[in-house]
Amino acid sequence: MTTTSEPGHDRPDPSLDAIMSERRQLINLAYRLLGSLADAEDVVQETYARWYAMSRQQQEAIASPGAWLTKVAGRICLDLLGSARARRESYVGEWIPEPLPDRAEWIDGRGGGTTDPADPADRITLDESVTMAFLVVLESMTPAERVAFVLHEVFRYSFAEVAEIVGRTPAACRQLASSARRRVRASQALPAPAGLRAGLVRDFKQAWEAKDIDTLVGLLDPRAMMIADGGGLVSAVLRPIEGGEQIARYIIAIADMAPGLTILERTVNGQPGLVAQRDGVTVTVAAFDVPGDRIMRIWAVRNPEKLWPWTGEPQAASDSGHGARHGEGETTIT
């Protein structure tokens, strides 16, 4: 594991280099492992709290602070993943990973745009390993598979280094990563070219606004699926909607019931997506999976605790399985 911290005792603060050089990687790692930016921030804070809980002598005895921080953060994530499944059994409806805006779209707590490099959204690298389709596949893995796969395949850690975090042998970690890789290959088709994806999402938006059901059906794969996440905090359909025609009819029903919605094209987890706003406030973020020439998956995140980077409202609580139980019902996602 790499770090830019220099060994020795002449530094005024042996933790400063590690904090400056490793925070971005820790945020990136924790978000991919947990699917939640809020939880990733909590993990990083807890990791640094454990660093500062050590004495100066203990800190100086650690040859690579960056490796230590990564190991601690990885183990915290592993523990959280182990308990998240049980908590999500009581989650209202479907659980979807927390969507990320493009750095230019990040909204800070004061309600205005910001380019402050300290913002977590500005530090998440938006590549293929944070697309909603990829994160959803990660959700199907066991905690150990997910940690081993992300550390090795995405962050290029050796299996010996992964073993220190997962608490298994390097050979076992190799098997975990191999099993996870098979899941990814079985679940994901090659994405369509970026221009085609953007064009299909734009056409979807225009057909939605025009209430053109025939065009919507044509844009959707007959086997398409739409999943909404309200977390029990706002109304949302509780089960996936399957079939292109069924999704198109549902979308048209939303347009009829919520004429005041504004639909905007936005980047969601590095891919073309849509954002629905009411009175200028983001109420839904939709991510799309376009493996060919039609839309195959739509993930609509409505849970306000997951929309704080888009709304400027601080998250009330971590949502890795939490969620209020009011407002349940199979109503609209608007």
Side-chain angles (χ1 to χ4, degrees):
M1 300 183 188
T2 61
T3 175
T4 59
S5 301
E6 300 292 337
H9 299 276
D10 56 342
R11 293 175 295 169
D13 181 353
S15 70
L16 182 59
D17 290 344
I19 290 175
M20 296 301 293
S21 65
E22 302 297 334
R23 175 178 168 80
R24 179 175 184 176
Q25 172 148 311
L26 295 177
I27 287 286
N28 273 274
L29 173 64
Y31 174 75
R32 285 162 174 80
L33 290 178
L34 302 175
S36 167
L37 185 57
D39 285 351
E41 281 283 271
D42 289 344
V43 166
V44 174
Q45 290 179 16
E46 173 63 21
T47 299
Y48 284 124
R50 295 187 186 185
W51 173 268
Y52 284 116
M54 295 188 296
S55 68
R56 175 67 177 271
Q57 287 184 331
Q58 289 173 318
Q59 291 174 352
E60 291 183 332
I62 296 173
S64 175
W68 186 93
L69 291 167
T70 298
K71 181 186 294 186
V72 171
R75 287 177 174 173
I76 294 173
C77 288
L78 187 62
D79 290 342
L80 288 176
L81 287 170
S83 60
R85 291 194 171 192
R87 294 199 306 272
R88 288 176 190 170
E89 290 180 359
S90 61
Y91 191 81
V92 177
E94 300 287 334
W95 191 95
I96 299 175
E98 191 174 289
L100 290 179
D102 183 78
R103 64 179 60 188
E105 296 295 330
W106 176 272
I107 303 297
D108 67 14
R110 295 176 294 281
T114 179
T115 57
D116 182 354
D119 282 332
D122 199 46
R123 291 185 169 272
I124 296 290
T125 303
L126 298 178
D127 57 24
E128 291 297 322
S129 67
V130 294
T131 65
M132 193 62 72
F134 187 78
L135 293 177
V136 169
V137 175
L138 292 181
E139 285 295 315
S140 69
M141 300 177 185
T142 67
E145 280 180 333
R146 186 167 183 169
V147 173
F149 179 78
V150 170
L151 281 170
H152 180 69
E153 298 292 330
V154 179
F155 291 90
R156 303 301 179 187
Y157 286 98
S158 70
F159 286 117
E161 293 168 319
V162 174
E164 294 182 14
I165 296 172
V166 178
R168 304 193 186 188
T169 66
C173 290
R174 185 184 299 275
Q175 289 298 317
L176 288 170
S178 178
S179 173
R181 195 181 305 113
R182 288 194 295 270
R183 288 177 184 258
V184 172
R185 290 174 177 170
S187 302
Q188 288 193 299
L190 291 175
L196 177 58
R197 279 177 279 164
L200 285 172
V201 172
R202 181 176 301 112
D203 291 344
F204 185 92
K205 168 186 178 292
Q206 293 172 349
W208 185 2
E209 292 171 329
K211 303 180 183 180
D212 185 345
I213 190 168
D214 291 335
T215 298
L216 284 172
V217 172
L219 293 169
L220 292 159
D221 189 282
R223 303 162 297 165
M225 180 181 295
M226 179 177 180
I227 301 173
D229 178 351
L233 299 174
V234 294
S235 59
V237 62
L238 298 181
R239 293 186 294 272
I241 301 173
E242 300 182 18
E245 183 173 349
Q246 289 76 9
I247 294 172
R249 293 187 182 281
Y250 182 69
I251 289 293
I252 295 298
I254 292 173
D256 288 337
M257 297 175 66
L261 277 185
T262 299
I263 311 301
L264 304 171
E265 295 178 48
R266 291 291 185 265
T267 297
V268 180
N269 285 60
Q271 301 292 319
L274 296 178
V275 167
Q277 293 185 343
R278 185 189 296 277
D279 299 324
V281 177
T282 295
V283 294
T284 302
V285 174
F288 293 78
D289 181 26
V290 186
D293 58 357
R294 292 190 180 187
I295 296 168
M296 180 60 75
R297 297 282 187 275
I298 303 175
W299 296 280
V301 180
R302 293 212 65 230
N303 185 338
E305 291 183 353
K306 297 184 179 184
L307 298 180
W308 58 276
W310 305 79
T311 63
E313 295 294 329
Q315 67 274 26
S318 169
D319 63 7
S320 294
H322 297 85
R325 302 295 177 260
H326 66 278
E328 298 182 31
E330 295 199 29
T331 54
T332 69
I333 62 166
T334 61

